[in-house]
Amino acid sequence: MLLTVKNNQRRQYQQILSQFRGHRHFPINISDFEASHGRQVRWQLRARNATDAIRERWEGASWIVELVSTGRRDGKPFRHVHLFITTLRTSPKALLRQVR
């Protein structure tokens, strides 16, 4: 299971977002870069164990994931933050492939 957590799920979104603020250790921290089709994109994925509060709400959740994509598309800069909850226990590279 890999679920996207959107901003309209305010409480859950803020709860996960707060876990990625500050200078914390992240067991998974991986990035990738792609330049094609008129765009340049860098993906930075960080993941950590789901908190007890998240596991209570989402049975089987093992990781919370933050994916930040930055770059240029059609000459314009962009930055997007995506949050996920997942039950997947896989390699960081495979996890990045899944969320991309």
PDB file of all heavy atoms in Angstrom, residues 9-20:
ATOM      1  N   GLN A   9      -6.444  16.799   3.733  1.00  0.00           N
ATOM      2  CA  GLN A   9      -6.476  15.943   4.925  1.00  0.00           C
ATOM      3  C   GLN A   9      -5.609  16.641   5.973  1.00  0.00           C
ATOM      4  O   GLN A   9      -4.583  16.135   6.396  1.00  0.00           O
ATOM      5  CB  GLN A   9      -5.923  14.552   4.594  1.00  0.00           C
ATOM      6  CG  GLN A   9      -6.707  13.845   3.516  1.00  0.00           C
ATOM      7  CD  GLN A   9      -5.908  12.721   2.891  1.00  0.00           C
ATOM      8  OE1 GLN A   9      -4.793  12.915   2.426  1.00  0.00           O
ATOM      9  NE2 GLN A   9      -6.493  11.533   2.879  1.00  0.00           N
ATOM     10  N   ARG A  10      -6.046  17.827   6.369  1.00  0.00           N
ATOM     11  CA  ARG A  10      -5.212  18.753   7.141  1.00  0.00           C
ATOM     12  C   ARG A  10      -4.492  18.137   8.340  1.00  0.00           C
ATOM     13  O   ARG A  10      -3.295  18.306   8.488  1.00  0.00           O
ATOM     14  CB  ARG A  10      -6.040  19.934   7.617  1.00  0.00           C
ATOM     15  CG  ARG A  10      -6.348  20.879   6.518  1.00  0.00           C
ATOM     16  CD  ARG A  10      -6.671  22.245   7.083  1.00  0.00           C
ATOM     17  NE  ARG A  10      -7.274  23.070   6.067  1.00  0.00           N
ATOM     18  CZ  ARG A  10      -6.587  23.667   5.108  1.00  0.00           C
ATOM     19  NH1 ARG A  10      -5.303  23.506   5.053  1.00  0.00           N
ATOM     20  NH2 ARG A  10      -7.194  24.406   4.207  1.00  0.00           N
ATOM     21  N   ARG A  11      -5.220  17.476   9.186  1.00  0.00           N
ATOM     22  CA  ARG A  11      -4.601  16.955  10.413  1.00  0.00           C
ATOM     23  C   ARG A  11      -3.509  15.945  10.086  1.00  0.00           C
ATOM     24  O   ARG A  11      -2.394  16.026  10.599  1.00  0.00           O
ATOM     25  CB  ARG A  11      -5.674  16.323  11.294  1.00  0.00           C
ATOM     26  CG  ARG A  11      -5.144  15.881  12.624  1.00  0.00           C
ATOM     27  CD  ARG A  11      -6.263  15.423  13.521  1.00  0.00           C
ATOM     28  NE  ARG A  11      -5.730  14.982  14.781  1.00  0.00           N
ATOM     29  CZ  ARG A  11      -6.299  14.076  15.521  1.00  0.00           C
ATOM     30  NH1 ARG A  11      -7.446  13.549  15.165  1.00  0.00           N
ATOM     31  NH2 ARG A  11      -5.752  13.713  16.656  1.00  0.00           N
ATOM     32  N   GLN A  12      -3.829  14.992   9.221  1.00  0.00           N
ATOM     33  CA  GLN A  12      -2.857  13.967   8.835  1.00  0.00           C
ATOM     34  C   GLN A  12      -1.672  14.601   8.101  1.00  0.00           C
ATOM     35  O   GLN A  12      -0.525  14.263   8.350  1.00  0.00           O
ATOM     36  CB  GLN A  12      -3.539  12.936   7.932  1.00  0.00           C
ATOM     37  CG  GLN A  12      -2.735  11.695   7.717  1.00  0.00           C
ATOM     38  CD  GLN A  12      -2.756  10.803   8.936  1.00  0.00           C
ATOM     39  OE1 GLN A  12      -3.739  10.725   9.660  1.00  0.00           O
ATOM     40  NE2 GLN A  12      -1.675  10.123   9.188  1.00  0.00           N
ATOM     41  N   TYR A  13      -1.961  15.526   7.191  1.00  0.00           N
ATOM     42  CA  TYR A  13      -0.922  16.193   6.413  1.00  0.00           C
ATOM     43  C   TYR A  13       0.041  16.949   7.334  1.00  0.00           C
ATOM     44  O   TYR A  13       1.263  16.803   7.227  1.00  0.00           O
ATOM     45  CB  TYR A  13      -1.576  17.148   5.413  1.00  0.00           C
ATOM     46  CG  TYR A  13      -0.615  17.781   4.441  1.00  0.00           C
ATOM     47  CD1 TYR A  13      -0.292  17.139   3.248  1.00  0.00           C
ATOM     48  CD2 TYR A  13      -0.052  19.027   4.698  1.00  0.00           C
ATOM     49  CE1 TYR A  13       0.582  17.720   2.343  1.00  0.00           C
ATOM     50  CE2 TYR A  13       0.819  19.616   3.800  1.00  0.00           C
ATOM     51  CZ  TYR A  13       1.132  18.962   2.625  1.00  0.00           C
ATOM     52  OH  TYR A  13       1.997  19.535   1.738  1.00  0.00           O
ATOM     53  N   GLN A  14      -0.503  17.735   8.246  1.00  0.00           N
ATOM     54  CA  GLN A  14       0.333  18.508   9.170  1.00  0.00           C
ATOM     55  C   GLN A  14       1.131  17.600  10.103  1.00  0.00           C
ATOM     56  O   GLN A  14       2.286  17.890  10.422  1.00  0.00           O
ATOM     57  CB  GLN A  14      -0.519  19.488   9.981  1.00  0.00           C
ATOM     58  CG  GLN A  14      -1.058  20.639   9.160  1.00  0.00           C
ATOM     59  CD  GLN A  14       0.040  21.463   8.523  1.00  0.00           C
ATOM     60  OE1 GLN A  14       1.087  21.705   9.109  1.00  0.00           O
ATOM     61  NE2 GLN A  14      -0.198  21.886   7.291  1.00  0.00           N
ATOM     62  N   GLN A  15       0.509  16.509  10.532  1.00  0.00           N
ATOM     63  CA  GLN A  15       1.180  15.563  11.416  1.00  0.00           C
ATOM     64  C   GLN A  15       2.403  14.957  10.726  1.00  0.00           C
ATOM     65  O   GLN A  15       3.471  14.853  11.324  1.00  0.00           O
ATOM     66  CB  GLN A  15       0.196  14.466  11.820  1.00  0.00           C
ATOM     67  CG  GLN A  15       0.701  13.531  12.868  1.00  0.00           C
ATOM     68  CD  GLN A  15      -0.363  12.510  13.252  1.00  0.00           C
ATOM     69  OE1 GLN A  15      -1.228  12.158  12.463  1.00  0.00           O
ATOM     70  NE2 GLN A  15      -0.287  12.036  14.467  1.00  0.00           N
ATOM     71  N   ILE A  16       2.256  14.596   9.471  1.00  0.00           N
ATOM     72  CA  ILE A  16       3.380  14.010   8.731  1.00  0.00           C
ATOM     73  C   ILE A  16       4.394  15.092   8.373  1.00  0.00           C
ATOM     74  O   ILE A  16       5.601  14.897   8.537  1.00  0.00           O
ATOM     75  CB  ILE A  16       2.884  13.275   7.471  1.00  0.00           C
ATOM     76  CG1 ILE A  16       2.065  12.057   7.893  1.00  0.00           C
ATOM     77  CG2 ILE A  16       4.058  12.853   6.587  1.00  0.00           C
ATOM     78  CD1 ILE A  16       1.366  11.348   6.759  1.00  0.00           C
ATOM     79  N   LEU A  17       3.922  16.231   7.898  1.00  0.00           N
ATOM     80  CA  LEU A  17       4.815  17.323   7.525  1.00  0.00           C
ATOM     81  C   LEU A  17       5.721  17.720   8.688  1.00  0.00           C
ATOM     82  O   LEU A  17       6.913  17.974   8.503  1.00  0.00           O
ATOM     83  CB  LEU A  17       3.992  18.521   7.039  1.00  0.00           C
ATOM     84  CG  LEU A  17       4.754  19.659   6.394  1.00  0.00           C
ATOM     85  CD1 LEU A  17       5.459  19.180   5.127  1.00  0.00           C
ATOM     86  CD2 LEU A  17       3.805  20.797   6.074  1.00  0.00           C
ATOM     87  N   SER A  18       5.185  17.756   9.888  1.00  0.00           N
ATOM     88  CA  SER A  18       5.982  18.146  11.060  1.00  0.00           C
ATOM     89  C   SER A  18       7.132  17.177  11.322  1.00  0.00           C
ATOM     90  O   SER A  18       8.150  17.568  11.889  1.00  0.00           O
ATOM     91  CB  SER A  18       5.093  18.258  12.296  1.00  0.00           C
ATOM     92  OG  SER A  18       4.683  16.984  12.742  1.00  0.00           O
ATOM     93  N   GLN A  19       6.985  15.931  10.905  1.00  0.00           N
ATOM     94  CA  GLN A  19       8.042  14.935  11.109  1.00  0.00           C
ATOM     95  C   GLN A  19       9.257  15.179  10.211  1.00  0.00           C
ATOM     96  O   GLN A  19      10.322  14.619  10.443  1.00  0.00           O
ATOM     97  CB  GLN A  19       7.506  13.524  10.866  1.00  0.00           C
ATOM     98  CG  GLN A  19       6.469  13.084  11.854  1.00  0.00           C
ATOM     99  CD  GLN A  19       7.028  13.042  13.264  1.00  0.00           C
ATOM    100  OE1 GLN A  19       8.074  12.440  13.517  1.00  0.00           O
ATOM    101  NE2 GLN A  19       6.360  13.708  14.186  1.00  0.00           N
ATOM    102  N   PHE A  20       9.102  16.016   9.186  1.00  0.00           N
ATOM    103  CA  PHE A  20      10.197  16.276   8.255  1.00  0.00           C
ATOM    104  C   PHE A  20      10.809  17.653   8.442  1.00  0.00           C
ATOM    105  O   PHE A  20      11.649  18.070   7.662  1.00  0.00           O
ATOM    106  CB  PHE A  20       9.711  16.083   6.808  1.00  0.00           C
ATOM    107  CG  PHE A  20       9.414  14.650   6.510  1.00  0.00           C
ATOM    108  CD1 PHE A  20       8.122  14.179   6.530  1.00  0.00           C
ATOM    109  CD2 PHE A  20      10.446  13.761   6.260  1.00  0.00           C
ATOM    110  CE1 PHE A  20       7.836  12.851   6.282  1.00  0.00           C
ATOM    111  CE2 PHE A  20      10.183  12.426   6.012  1.00  0.00           C
ATOM    112  CZ  PHE A  20       8.881  11.968   6.022  1.00  0.00           C
TER     113      PHE A  20
END
